[in-house]
């Protein structure tokens, strides 16, 4: 069986690339395709030396730094990749990878990280944050996203099997593409985050500081709980709002970026990790559980697939400081076993992901 793995683009080793890494581990004979490949040499180890077949976007002027600006050309680019010689096509898609062309004798299984949120339900937020609500560029961007929505829904008919990375994403697939999707949770390196049963007294937030993470809400909540210590790890464009929310609160420590080793140590030692975002899945949530650390999370999105309420953590219903304060109070009245958190996290390990993907392919072939 000839196998092809298709990824969106390669420019960094992040969440979706970890899926590709495990697909390569399960199908080491596969050939690899992408719209473009600008991955630094130091981050290419997960590709196992595989060459990457790319599209014409690879050769466009300024593509190395600005390939995302060619989004309007990517549907055409992905359709030009010749996969006619393959029996099995596995696409890893958060934008256009699912749109590769396959024929009747081929099986196409598409692992969907998310439909293009900036083209669908988050279009208005995207335009607002990008300063594109008005003017010629704003009008062009609206037209482009309209065209992308039409192509996105049409191309969603191509894969034989769609897989969402969480129940939440499967629901989004059903909403925007009107197709059912299986759920296979993404692989998490739970072995890197060892169990530590002895906890310290602080709560932890570890995240990129971008608006949808709502870290300023957590800081505002702890500013009103001076007897409880909060450690905030991370940096990003929303950092000024976080600093403002934490201003004058001696119980809040803003650590900025830390090493991977320090991140693991903090995650292992925290009394609980807190997440206020509506995530597609939430790998950091699993990592906290792998350390035996309970999770206090906003009760929408991928967190509902991860946290077992009352057993490994709990949810709060609103993205509001008052809801977080209430959740911390409820958490401190609970008793959560760190070993239960660790056992819960092991559901999301590398081996579990590869076995689930192999099972989906074999059932689809049968």
């Amino acid at each position: 069986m000839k196998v092809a793995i298709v990824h969106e683009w390669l420019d960094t080793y992040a969440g979706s690339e970890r899926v590709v890494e495990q697909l390569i581990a399960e199908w080491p004979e596969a050939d690899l395709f992408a719209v473009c490949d600008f991955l630094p040499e130091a981050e290419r180890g997960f590709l196992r030396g595989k060459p990457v077949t790319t599209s014409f976007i690879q050769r466009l002027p300024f593509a190395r730094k600005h390939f995302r600006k060619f989004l309007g050309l990517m549907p055409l680019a992905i359709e030009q990749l010749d996969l006619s010689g393959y029996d099995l096509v596995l696409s890893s898609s958060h934008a256009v990878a699912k749109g590769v062309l396959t024929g009747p004798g081929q099986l196409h299984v598409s692992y969907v990280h998310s439909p293009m949120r900036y083209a669908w339900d988050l279009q208005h937020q995207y335009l607002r944050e990008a300063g594109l609500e008005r003017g010629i560029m704003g009008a062009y961007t609206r037209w482009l996203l309209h065209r992308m929505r039409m192509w996105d829904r049409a191309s969603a008919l191509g894969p034989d099997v769609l897989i969402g990375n969480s129940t939440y994403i499967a629901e989004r697939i059903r909403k925007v593409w009107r197709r059912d999707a299986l759920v296979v949770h993404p692989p998490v390196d739970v072995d890197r985050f060892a169990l530590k049963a002895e906890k310290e007294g602080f709560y932890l937030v570890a995240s990129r500081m971008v608006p949808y993470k709502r870290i300023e809400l957590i800081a505002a909540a702890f500013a009103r709980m001076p007897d409880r210590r909060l450690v905030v790890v991370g940096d990003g464009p929303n950092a000024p709002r976080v600093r403002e929310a934490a201003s004058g609160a001696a119980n809040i420590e803003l650590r900025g970026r830390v090493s991977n080793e320090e991140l693991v140590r903090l995650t292992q030692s925290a009394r609980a990790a807190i997440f206020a975002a509506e995530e597609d899945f939430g790998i950091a949530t699993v990592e906290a559980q792998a350390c035996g650390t309970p999770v206090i999370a906003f009760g929408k999105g991928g967190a509902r697939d991860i946290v077992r309420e009352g057993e490994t953590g709990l949810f709060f219903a609103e993205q509001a400081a008052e809801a977080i304060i209430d959740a911390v109070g409820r958490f401190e009245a609970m008793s959560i076993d760190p070993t239960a958190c660790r056992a819960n996290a092991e559901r999301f390990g590398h081996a579990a992901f590869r076995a689930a993907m192999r099972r989906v392919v074999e059932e689809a072939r049968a």
Side-chain angles (χ1 to χ4, degrees), residues 38-56:
F38 298 116
L39 195 66
E41 196 62 38
E43 298 182 27
R44 301 188 72 83
F46 76 99
L47 299 180
R48 300 190 177 192
K50 286 186 177 295
V52 182
T53 301
T54 57
S55 74
F56 65 83

Side-chain angles (χ1 to χ4, degrees), residues 113 117 164-172 183 185-186 212 275 277-286 289 295 297-308 315 344 347-348:
H113 306 278
R117 300 185 71 173
N165 73 357
S166 66
T167 304
Y168 175 65
I169 292 302
E171 290 169 353
R172 294 194 69 247
V183 174
H185 298 117
Y212 87 93
F275 300 92
E278 185 175 342
E279 299 276 10
D280 294 340
F281 177 65
I283 287 176
T285 307
V286 178
Q289 297 269 271
V295 167
F298 178 50
K300 290 186 178 180
R304 297 207 69 90
D305 282 13
I306 301 169
V307 179
R308 290 174 166 164
F315 299 116
N344 181 43
R347 298 185 292 136
F348 306 100

Side-chain angles (χ1 to χ4, degrees), residues 205-228:
V205 180
S207 172
R208 291 179 298 119
M209 291 189 182
V210 291
Y212 87 93
K213 296 287 188 178
R214 308 308 302 271
I215 300 171
E216 73 280 359
L217 291 180
I218 303 173
F222 275 80
R224 292 163 55 181
M225 297 185 286
D227 56 332
R228 296 177 173 100

